[in-house]
Amino acid sequence: ARYKVVATPVNNKVTRLNSRPALGYEHAAYRIETGRGVCWIDCPSCFDPSVDPMETIFFTHHHFLGASNLYRLEFGAGVHLHVGDAADDMCRHFTFDAVFAGSFIHQGIEAFPVDGHTPGFTFYLFEDTLFICDYVFWSDADMKFNPYGPAELTLAGGRRIAEILAGRKLATVCGYNYVVDYDAWQQKFIAGPLSS
C-alpha cells in the first residue's frame, strides 16, 4: 500500500511511469495514448490500482515484467512478449496473452525485435518517440551497450537499430531510467557503442 506509480509527462501522448518509492532495480515504463487505446511499454515494478486503465502491455524484454500479472487481472490488459524471451525460466510465473516473433505495428506503435541483450529484445517507435529501455546505458559522459548479454549479438542488434532509425525524424528517447533528446542520444549512439 505504500508504493504508488508516479506519472511524469514526456509529451502529449507519452507518460513515464515509475514506482515510488523505488522498488528493487527501479525502471521506467511508458504509457502511450495512441488515439485508439492505451498501451504500455514495459510495466512498473509495483502494483497501483489507481492508474488509468491500459489495454495492452508490450515488453522490450523479460527483465521488466514488473507487476504485469496484477495489471492484467485488474484491467484485463493483454500482455505481449517476444517468443525468444518467453521461454526463459524467469517467465514461468507470468501469463502472456500473445508471444510474437517478428516486427509488427499496433495502433501506430512499431515493434522491432533485434536480439542482443536478450534473445527477444524488442524496441518500439511511436510517432517521434523511441523506446529503447536498457539496450544502451546513457550518462552525460557517454553511452555503453548493456553488458548483460552476448557481446557480438548485442553489437549486431545495435547495428540493426541504427539501420531502422536511419532517416527517421525522431524527437525523444525513452530509456529504462532516462528521457533525452533524440539528436543527443543518436550522436552518442553512433560515436560510442556502434564505434566501439
Side-chain angles (χ1 to χ4, degrees):
R2 66 189 184 92
Y3 290 92
K4 298 293 179 195
V5 170
V6 175
T8 306
V10 172
N11 58 41
N12 64 338
K13 295 183 180 177
V14 177
T15 304
R16 179 177 170 164
L17 305 173
N18 283 97
S19 300
R20 291 289 185 268
L23 182 59
Y25 182 67
E26 182 56 31
H27 64 275
Y30 295 91
R31 174 187 172 89
I32 304 173
E33 304 269 356
T34 69
R36 289 177 282 163
V38 175
C39 301
W40 282 5
I41 305 295
D42 294 324
C43 187
S45 299
C46 77
F47 176 65
D48 183 344
S50 71
V51 300
D52 292 332
M54 77 302 301
E55 66 174 35
T56 310
I57 305 172
F58 294 108
F59 286 98
T60 56
H61 62 307
H62 64 290
H63 296 159
F64 295 116
L65 299 175
S68 60
N69 280 344
L70 297 172
Y71 288 106
R72 180 179 180 273
L73 288 172
E74 179 76 12
F75 297 104
V79 176
H80 299 239
L81 179 71
H82 190 279
V83 66
D85 285 351
D88 190 279
D89 193 49
M90 186 181 289
C91 298
R92 70 185 180 280
H93 297 296
F94 289 87
T95 300
F96 304 105
D97 298 285
V99 292
F100 56 88
S103 298
F104 64 88
I105 300 174
H106 175 84
Q107 296 182 7
I109 300 170
E110 299 176 80
F112 299 96
V114 293
D115 199 347
H117 170 46
T118 67
F121 191 94
T122 303
F123 77 92
Y124 297 85
L125 294 169
F126 178 72
E127 295 182 352
D128 62 356
T129 304
L130 164 63
F131 301 89
I132 198 68
C133 194
D134 65 348
Y135 205 87
V136 290
F137 294 151
W138 164 277
S139 74
D140 290 337
D142 62 7
M143 179 188 289
K144 298 175 185 169
F145 279 125
N146 189 320
Y148 301 102
E152 287 302 314
L153 290 177
T154 301
L155 181 57
R159 291 189 193 110
R160 179 81 177 116
I161 291 167
E163 290 170 7
I164 293 167
L165 297 181
R168 292 195 182 240
K169 302 285 187 203
L170 300 175
T172 307
V173 179
C174 294
Y176 81 103
N177 69 350
Y178 62 87
V179 173
V180 296
D181 175 78
Y182 175 76
D183 290 338
W185 183 92
Q186 184 192 41
Q187 288 174 8
K188 284 189 181 178
F189 185 63
I190 300 301
L194 282 190
S195 64
S196 61

